[in-house]
Amino acid sequence: MSASAQRQDHPRLASAVSYLDELIGFDTTSANSNLDIIAYLKRYFDELGMETTVLYDTSGEKANLIARIGPKDVPGIVLSGHTDVVPANPDRWSSAPFDMEQRGSRLYGRGSCDMKGFAACVMAAAPALIQGPLKRPFYFCFSHDEEVGCLGAPAIAKHLAELEVPPGLAIIGEPSEMHLINGQKGKIAMQVTVRGEGGHSSFSPQHVNAVEYASRIIAMISDRSRRYEREGPFDHDFSVPHATALATLINGGVATNVTPDTCEFVFELRSIDQQAAWVDMQALIDEVEATLLPEMRQVSSAAGIEWQERFSYPAMDDATGSELFQRLEPILPPRGGKVSYGSEGGVFEIDGGIPSVIIGPGSIRQAHKPDEFIEIDQLTQCLEFFDTLGDWMTRG
Ligand SMILES: [Zn+2]
């Protein structure tokens, strides 16, 4: 018999699985309101005696939750996760996406790894985590709209930053297979509208072809990306060790024989360093406008290029030098490098001044896909980590 087969289930695993079942049952696709899941979480943490705060967005249809406990005069620890999930097309799933299903060692369902598995572990561990005489406070945070550009987290980060003694470290539970991730790229998503002048395509030299100019801008974006690849700056803790830039959506033209007067496209810039990202973005805009606008305007004074930020979130810097991290490090899981996907870690750092790392159950490889799942053993590992953390919080 293998060692794993002999291993006893963690005493709180069954409750983590049943909380996960309930959490997956809320269809919190980002387009929907998340008020039901927030009310459910609030009720749970209220009953445990935690102090809860709900932060609504301007629409009133979305909210964040902060559940707090422990002394107020020392820096505490944030455990944070988002409540929303990416859309699920049931036709491409082997089971109903919002109905958790266990098959073998895996639990299937939208959000199982990204990132309701983490929230389920926080719920299951909470009674034990908060029972000890806490030397520091815990802040359990649940945000809205992470998947559409980290829209909820800034309000949480600002709320925490305004506390008399803000938290000293945020642990973001994005799926990292329970490794410690100490860096994450930032992203700017930009929408570009190229306005030209159209007409019957047989007269094309008299027109400004918006699709052609869009393609020239995209070629410049792609050149820039190749330059990052050649010249850096590099950080080899990332699997893609440099910034990247690419167009991801495009729409233009109306008919085969009409010179298109409008073309819209979206591109993204993923950066290692967020400040450099905005400098680079402005340099790109300047270069494009200096190269193409005079040419376009020679034909039509109405031609132009509009740039609109779709969303952006900051890169998460290396927090391993921060004071609370260094105290906590002996009990943290092994390091797993840095990641190129987005998380709220950078938001906590930039908007809240709270050093952040990622540690969460499940693998990012299963996220955002049909048949998303989490290995049950990942929940166990997360619960074991919370055992150690709870113990440390009564000493540290
Ligand atoms: Zn996520």
Side-chain angles (χ1 to χ4, degrees), residues 82 114-115 146-147 174-175 342 364 368:
H82 58 83
D114 185 11
M115 53 184 289
E146 189 270 353
E147 297 290 3
E174 286 283 347
I364 197 71
H368 298 202

